[in-house]
Amino acid sequence: MIRRLFCIAIVGWLFNLAHGAPLPREVVCTNAVLRWADTGEEVALFGVNYYPPHYTNFRDLGLLGVDREQTIRDDLVHFKRLRLDLLRLHVFERELSDAEGNLVENEHLRLLDYLISQCRSNGLYLVLTPIAWWPTPNPGNGFANRFTMNQMITDPVALPAQQRYLRQFMEHRNRYTGLTYAADHAVVAIELINEPLYPDATTDAQITTYINNLAAAVRESGSRKPIFYNGWQRRLKAVADAKIEGCTFGWYPSGLVAGHCLSRNFLPNVQDYAEMRSPVLTNRAKGVYEFDAADVPGGYLYPAMARSFRAGGAQFAAQFQYDPMPLAPFNAGWQTHYLNLIYAPQRALGFMIAADAFHTLARLEQSGLYPTNNVFGPRNQLGLPEFRVSFEENLSERVGDRVYLHSSHTRTRPPAPELLERVAGCGASPLVAYEGTGAYFLDRLAPGQWRLEVYPDAVWVNDPFGKDSLEREVSRILWRAWPMRLQLPDLGGDFSVKAVPSNASTAAVRGEITVTPGVYLLQRQGINAPPPAGFDPTFVAPKERKDVPPAIWHDVARHWVSGREYPVSAVIAVAGDPQVNLLYRPAATAAWQSLPMTRQSVYHYAAAIPAKTMQPGECNYRIEVNSKETAYSYPGVVLVARLKSLPASRPTVLFAASGLKTAPGLSLRNSPGKSSHSELVATADGGRALSLSVTGFGADAAASLRLAATVPPADASGDTVVVRARAIEEATTAFELGLVQADGNAFGFDVPLSREWQDIRIFVKQLHPLWGTQAKRPDFSRLKELSVIFGSWLYGERHAQPHGFELAGVRLEQSGESFQLPVLDARAAVPLFYRDEFPRVYGDAGRQSKTVRGSTGLAMRVSVPKFGPPPSSVSFKLEVGERLEAWRGQLGARQSATLHARAGEPDTTKLEILFIEDDGAAWGCNVPLTTQWRDIRISWDMLTYYRNFKGPAQRGQPGDHFNPEKLQAVNCCFGAWLFPQTYAQQHAVEIESLHLDAAVP
């Protein structure tokens, strides 16, 4: 075995030499600075987190049936093209260890070996975090299954397994390189554990002891690699006192899991990362284990983040996370992150520019504050900084003497085009006239010889930051032929073009050529030489999907204002230039009207519904795409005859109480002395309902039954489950409905109830997996039963009271074969909060958010079991900028907002609410809460400037005030500082609505 591994290592070494790949260099840490051991130069590595060996990426690649090794090889080609030199991944130890901490030889470990070997062969380095702790969808018996994260850090029983695992992990010999992880210089550093969590009252000394124990296990393997520990939760003193080399940081300045693209300017949020320069850490090297411009669609933010990392002293930084190419059409894995060269080229080009910035800027180099730091870096021949970011242009660029890079359309001219050696972009520029939407790269090989690489068009056909699913396409590629005009002095206007590997040749005419995705050799007139040494013909891109209908992405406004034209824009992924029509039906009008949608740019079409037709009520509209003798109507992707009405959507009944002959009995558990009852009752409309009741629940009790369900026909479709029900007891605010499939998978939702009969609509995408279900969405063709459950966990302190409700039926229906737009009176209140949004809740206390019954409809409840000492808190942010665009001109006349809310627990007496302007300035106040629902009016004169929210330094001066016309977001927060006497009690806030008040006459 040893001889075999030695031979593998020798073969790998010879392969590296034969292919010109340099052997990895050792990294050492000297005086808190990472340096290359052979030269003493400072290290600066920039790249991504990448997960084919683990977690959902591993599972989803298997579900697609693709070759995981080929996926790794393909993605590494793109990493090199983007000039990345670092991968970081937290290893999911549950997948490759046993309960005692022994390393387990399995497919996860083999694939990790393969990834490391491929990085080594391609000149990429790795930072490995051996312990992730997080659960994984892949089966595993790892030691982390036995302990909570808190126990991992503070319970002595958990330490031996972690130390055993770390030693064996570092001593593991890679089957492809023959090297142990401890000896492989391609692994530059070890970060001990990912995002540690600490029990209340954990001291810095306890954390330092834990760090030292783990570090000792790593060093016992013989490893000399720098060891880092995560600065999570700002326990920097504990890191500084430990016997390790460095501290890692993470940064998500735009938040996480917004559920949709964020459109506001986040550059003020990334003007500096001062925490990294904390005096406490002067004796520690710095790195960034994770960061992202999460939910931000363009590529303007990455270089600004790289700039702030270098100013903070970081020597490596890894974005979270790069989408493996087979999964990138769906953004499957982590919905709030999206990075891929093929399917998200603007973000990828912005990221490449960020890599250049990270590699170019000196450690601790300062660039000032926003907005002056929008330009930074070394200066070109014109005396201008090479790097520039712009929110307004959705652009990042590097314009140097020899390098010219841009993430989207730019008008910036290079200072010395004749000196250029490297050009890359997405969109057009003064050097490259090009209408395709994929990335392209031009590299000078020798005087008069260039390599051109062109990628397919990428068209986003869904919000990439919505709910992720392998059945939800977010980006589609098209292989199209496009004219491209080059203005490179080194090539001239009449250069030759040779496609690789076909060798098909043509010639440019006044700098213009026609290109399809692939690699080309361009040669100045008079040069007819073979490609120079080092010319790489490699081209990796997936093929276009054929025989699929056009895909369309259009977002309906939450509401619109009457008397103002409504712009309708759509992205349509289809080859060629189709005829596109907008069909609309204004409120209180039966007839459909038609407008042509005009091509604004490739794949983008627009029209506007006239202002005079936008009256209060509901406007319906749809988009028709006529292409290749077919006409498709959206929503619904329905093939229709041109301008004909769409078929009506017919609901599919899944259960009807009228079909029951007798009432099934309830099963009641853990409720001694209580009783249950079920019967069929008549409803006021002449139908029947199933009535279910109990006299009360014990502390951990529930009542349940199963109902046979009707399986929808094969041609049935629907995106909404509709439940007709009502409560018959005041305390009964909800019940859990489950859709149970024949294969055992089940999906459910807590159905909110009121005393009146209602059709409660639940989007299919809102159904969550029940009882360990691994599938992401229900399969109605396998539906078998409906599960009905209600119990003490739904009703809190009122669980012992009588409970009951009536259920008439459940059906599946399409929400409508047209887009539906609410139109509000111009002077009406402006909604800021919608109860189906469920914004992400942040905080250091165990928090939960769910839908509950409000005073008139649904409400959102955010609760915590208890807070720690101040500043322990939870918060959530509502991004409202886009929905206010129609009202901007008149928002200045709005003088207040109204919050309809209540305290969900008696001790929750206040809520902090902040109104955030487009420059990040935050104005807020604390509003009083009671346990009764009430309207809380917030006038602008109640607001004060919140400097701790890191808004612009110049804001909040005397005479400054909140500007409602610039409102972009609302942040709600509650925590220990609001309840100093009762912070350790349970707390909750329930919000039913928030709106800007009607305009004052």
Side-chain angles (χ1 to χ4, degrees):
M1 179 65 177
I2 294 176
R3 287 183 61 190
R4 177 174 176 269
L5 291 174
F6 178 76
C7 290
I8 290 174
I10 292 295
V11 169
W13 179 73
L14 292 174
F15 178 87
N16 286 339
L17 289 182
H19 289 77
L23 292 174
R25 303 155 64 193
E26 184 179 10
V27 170
V28 296
C29 189
T30 305
N31 297 325
V33 178
L34 298 181
R35 300 184 183 275
W36 298 109
D38 54 352
T39 66
E41 294 176 322
E42 289 192 11
V43 170
L45 297 170
F46 191 84
V48 295
N49 283 249
Y50 181 64
Y51 290 94
H54 298 299
Y55 197 61
T56 56
N57 281 182
F58 179 89
R59 179 199 64 193
D60 291 343
L61 289 169
L63 290 174
L64 292 180
V66 299
D67 185 330
R68 297 186 180 97
E69 291 183 14
Q70 184 64 52
T71 296
I72 290 172
R73 292 194 296 271
D74 289 346
D75 286 335
L76 261 61
V77 169
H78 293 156
F79 294 163
K80 292 175 66 178
R81 168 46 67 194
L82 294 171
R83 302 209 173 195
L84 309 182
D85 48 18
L86 176 73
L87 296 189
R88 181 264 183 181
L89 63 160
H90 48 57
V91 176
F92 282 79
E93 77 296 321
R94 297 188 194 220
E95 297 174 348
L96 43 77
S97 69
D98 67 14
E100 303 305 318
N102 296 297
L103 198 66
V104 174
E105 288 284 347
N106 60 17
E107 183 63 7
H108 298 286
L109 185 59
R110 186 197 70 78
L111 206 59
L112 179 60
D113 282 352
Y114 186 78
L115 175 59
I116 293 173
S117 72
Q118 288 297 303
C119 288
R120 183 180 176 87
S121 299
N122 285 278
L124 279 82
Y125 291 86
L126 299 104
V127 170
L128 295 181
T129 307
I131 301 176
W133 181 80
W134 288 103
T136 166
N138 305 307
N141 298 312
F143 61 89
N145 291 325
R146 299 167 51 196
F147 309 107
T148 66
M149 173 72 85
N150 289 347
Q151 290 175 313
M152 295 267 286
I153 294 168
T154 58
D155 190 339
V157 176
L159 184 60
Q162 296 178 74
Q163 292 179 308
R164 184 178 299 112
Y165 166 74
L166 286 171
R167 281 193 299 269
Q168 293 185 18
F169 182 83
M170 298 303 296
E171 292 168 352
H172 169 69
R173 195 170 296 276
N174 188 316
R175 67 205 74 199
Y176 297 101
T177 68
L179 298 170
T180 65
Y181 289 177
D184 192 344
H185 294 331
V187 181
V188 296
I190 297 297
E191 183 194 36
L192 295 171
I193 186 170
N194 182 72
E195 297 181 353
L197 301 174
Y198 310 112
D200 293 345
T202 302
T203 66
D204 283 350
Q206 287 177 293
I207 298 172
T208 299
T209 298
Y210 173 72
I211 297 171
N212 289 339
N213 284 331
L214 296 193
V218 170
R219 294 193 176 104
E220 286 172 11
S221 71
S223 172
R224 300 187 302 171
K225 301 182 187 304
I227 297 176
F228 284 72
Y229 187 80
N230 199 300
W232 190 251
Q233 296 194 343
R234 300 182 178 178
R235 304 304 288 266
L236 303 184
K237 182 66 165 56
V239 180
D241 291 342
K243 298 175 182 178
I244 59 173
E245 283 71 35
C247 181
T248 55
F249 296 83
W251 207 16
Y252 294 114
S254 56
L256 290 170
V257 200
H260 57 89
C261 288
L262 299 179
S263 62
R264 73 179 178 92
N265 182 7
F266 285 96
L267 287 172
N269 298 56
V270 297
Q271 59 186 333
D272 191 23
Y273 198 149
E275 184 182 4
M276 208 178 288
R277 297 189 298 275
S278 168
V280 175
L281 293 173
T282 54
N283 63 338
R284 293 290 173 261
K286 319 297 192 310
V288 180
Y289 71 101
E290 289 179 15
F291 74 92
D292 198 14
D295 303 313
V296 177
Y300 75 91
L301 201 59
Y302 285 132
M305 297 181 75
R307 174 206 64 211
S308 295
F309 291 149
R310 290 300 277 163
Q315 292 192 259
F316 63 81
Q319 179 267 358
F320 194 91
Q321 76 12 279
Y322 191 90
D323 287 66
M325 190 163 60
L327 303 179
F330 318 101
N331 190 22
W334 286 275
Q335 74 181 79
T336 195
H337 309 285
Y338 196 33
L339 186 61
N340 183 273
L341 174 57
I342 301 292
Y343 292 95
Q346 287 192 352
R347 284 173 64 87
L349 265 293
F351 195 74
M352 183 177 72
I353 295 166
D356 270 30
F358 196 88
H359 293 141
T360 301
L361 299 174
R363 183 173 56 87
L364 298 177
E365 179 179 339
Q366 304 299 306
S367 302
L369 298 177
Y370 178 83
T372 59
N373 62 6
N374 284 351
V375 292
F376 57 93
R379 296 180 180 270
N380 58 32
Q381 283 190 9
L382 298 179
L384 300 174
E386 291 189 5
F387 295 97
R388 183 172 76 94
V389 292
S390 171
F391 164 74
E392 292 77 13
E393 299 170 70
N394 189 22
L395 172 68
S396 57
E397 60 185 20
R398 182 184 184 187
V399 181
D401 297 330
R402 289 178 167 78
V403 180
Y404 183 84
L405 314 172
H406 56 99
S407 66
S408 58
H409 298 299
T410 182
R411 297 177 181 176
T412 306
R413 295 187 174 276
E418 68 280 0
L419 299 179
L420 286 172
E421 298 175 352
R422 178 178 162 223
V423 175
C426 189
S429 75
L431 289 179
V432 182
Y434 182 61
E435 203 172 6
T437 61
Y440 54 83
F441 300 85
L442 282 151
D443 296 285
R444 187 174 184 266
L445 307 172
Q449 289 185 309
W450 289 71
R451 180 186 186 275
L452 169 64
E453 185 170 355
V454 180
Y455 285 97
D457 287 359
V459 188
W460 284 6
V461 296
N462 238 319
D463 191 322
F465 305 114
K467 189 175 180 62
D468 66 302
S469 166
L470 289 175
E471 298 177 6
R472 181 178 181 269
E473 183 184 25
V474 302
S475 182
R476 180 176 293 188
I477 60 166
L478 298 170
W479 285 54
R480 294 182 64 177
W482 286 108
M484 175 181 281
R485 188 174 68 253
L486 305 179
Q487 298 187 55
L488 292 171
D490 188 53
L491 277 176
D494 300 319
F495 53 88
S496 65
V497 183
K498 181 179 290 185
V500 180
S502 69
N503 287 326
S505 298
T506 186
V509 178
R510 293 186 293 278
E512 184 168 308
I513 60 179
T514 298
V515 295
T516 54
V519 174
Y520 301 85
L521 175 65
L522 312 181
Q523 299 189 105
R524 188 172 59 219
Q525 189 177 40
I527 298 177
N528 187 21
F535 179 84
D536 185 0
T538 306
F539 180 73
V540 174
K543 296 299 181 183
E544 178 181 340
R545 295 174 60 196
K546 300 292 186 179
D547 302 322
V548 291
I552 183 172
W553 180 18
H554 167 68
D555 287 331
V556 186
R558 279 292 196 171
H559 56 253
W560 199 249
V561 57
S562 63
R564 183 169 179 178
E565 72 172 20
Y566 176 60
V568 178
S569 62
V571 175
I572 300 173
V574 60
D577 294 323
Q579 177 190 351
V580 182
N581 295 317
L582 172 65
L583 283 73
Y584 66 97
R585 185 175 62 194
T589 302
W592 288 88
Q593 302 177 50
S594 178
L595 285 173
M597 297 186 71
T598 58
R599 183 183 187 271
Q600 304 296 298
S601 61
V602 61
Y603 308 119
H604 289 74
Y605 294 80
I609 300 177
K612 63 182 180 180
T613 67
M614 300 301 291
Q615 300 302 316
E618 183 176 86
C619 178
N620 291 267
Y621 64 96
R622 59 185 191 249
I623 296 170
E624 188 178 83
V625 180
N626 303 286
S627 176
K628 295 181 179 179
E629 306 305 322
T630 59
Y632 290 91
S633 184
Y634 300 82
V637 199
V638 179
L639 183 63
V640 296
R642 189 169 287 110
L643 302 182
K644 295 290 181 66
S645 297
L646 292 172
S649 175
R650 288 179 292 185
T652 300
V653 175
L654 305 180
F655 163 76
S658 59
L660 294 176
K661 296 182 178 178
T662 59
L666 274 169
S667 173
L668 180 63
R669 62 175 177 83
N670 296 343
S671 292
K674 305 292 185 179
S675 62
S676 63
H677 178 72
S678 63
E679 63 175 325
L680 293 174
V681 297
T683 59
D685 59 3
R688 286 202 298 177
L690 176 61
S691 178
L692 306 173
S693 61
V694 296
T695 56
F697 289 107
D700 183 23
S704 63
L705 58 79
R706 294 286 181 95
L707 300 168
T710 302
V711 180
D715 61 350
S717 65
D719 59 9
T720 307
V721 174
V722 183
V723 181
R724 184 156 183 78
R726 74 179 184 106
I728 56 176
E729 298 289 350
E730 181 62 32
T732 308
T733 55
F735 76 94
E736 180 188 270
L737 175 71
L739 283 72
V740 185
Q741 299 174 187
D743 58 6
N745 285 330
F747 298 82
F749 195 86
D750 289 350
V751 179
L753 297 171
S754 70
R755 295 298 296 273
E756 303 298 324
W757 280 105
Q758 286 185 314
D759 282 342
I760 303 109
R761 285 176 162 77
I762 304 155
F763 290 117
V764 171
K765 64 183 180 182
Q766 290 180 287
L767 299 173
H768 56 260
L770 299 176
W771 317 325
T773 293
Q774 295 296 314
K776 290 190 174 182
R777 59 180 298 173
D779 181 351
F780 286 97
S781 68
R782 298 184 178 184
L783 184 63
K784 180 182 179 182
E785 295 176 311
L786 299 182
S787 165
V788 175
I789 306 175
F790 58 123
S792 55
W793 84 96
L794 288 170
Y795 312 124
E797 295 180 351
R798 305 177 76 181
H799 64 83
Q801 297 180 21
H803 289 278
F805 62 95
E806 294 176 356
L807 174 63
V810 181
R811 64 185 187 270
L812 176 69
E813 67 181 30
Q814 195 72 27
S815 58
E817 295 294 350
S818 63
F819 298 111
Q820 296 150 356
L821 174 69
V823 181
L824 306 180
D825 184 272
R827 305 189 65 84
V830 184
L832 299 179
F833 171 66
Y834 287 88
R835 290 161 291 197
D836 61 352
E837 288 181 317
F838 272 88
R840 175 76 176 268
V841 179
Y842 298 92
D844 56 1
R847 66 267 184 199
Q848 181 188 52
S849 61
K850 66 177 183 177
T851 297
V852 296
R853 194 179 77 189
S855 61
T856 59
L858 301 180
M860 184 182 79
R861 176 184 173 93
V862 179
S863 60
V864 295
K866 66 176 182 178
F867 289 108
S872 177
S873 65
V874 298
S875 65
F876 57 91
K877 183 185 289 185
L878 308 169
E879 296 286 347
V880 300
E882 283 191 354
R883 69 188 54 160
L884 293 178
E885 287 307 311
W887 306 80
R888 285 289 174 201
Q890 53 179 269
L891 289 183
R894 309 289 171 136
Q895 299 177 5
S896 60
T898 295
L899 174 72
H900 190 68
R902 72 168 184 168
E905 298 293 339
D907 292 318
T908 309
T909 56
K910 297 177 184 177
L911 173 70
E912 176 190 273
I913 185 166
L914 302 181
F915 297 87
I916 305 169
E917 297 181 33
D918 54 10
D919 64 354
W923 302 81
C925 63
N926 296 334
V927 298
L929 299 177
T930 70
T931 56
Q932 302 300 312
W933 286 104
R934 64 193 188 99
D935 285 336
I936 305 167
R937 184 175 178 272
I938 305 163
S939 61
W940 304 150
D941 57 10
M942 297 167 56
L943 306 181
T944 59
Y945 187 67
Y946 275 58
R947 294 193 180 279
N948 62 336
F949 214 73
K950 298 182 179 180
Q954 69 274 19
R955 295 297 306 274
Q957 303 301 322
D960 196 5
H961 57 83
F962 171 58
N963 300 288
E965 66 274 15
K966 297 182 179 180
L967 179 61
Q968 286 291 322
V970 180
N971 192 79
C972 297
C973 182
F974 60 110
W977 85 97
L978 290 175
F979 325 112
Q981 305 303 318
T982 62
Y983 65 79
Q985 304 299 317
Q986 185 169 345
H987 287 276
V989 170
E990 297 179 7
I991 297 176
E992 185 170 302
S993 66
L994 173 65
H995 60 258
L996 297 179
D997 290 335
V1000 177

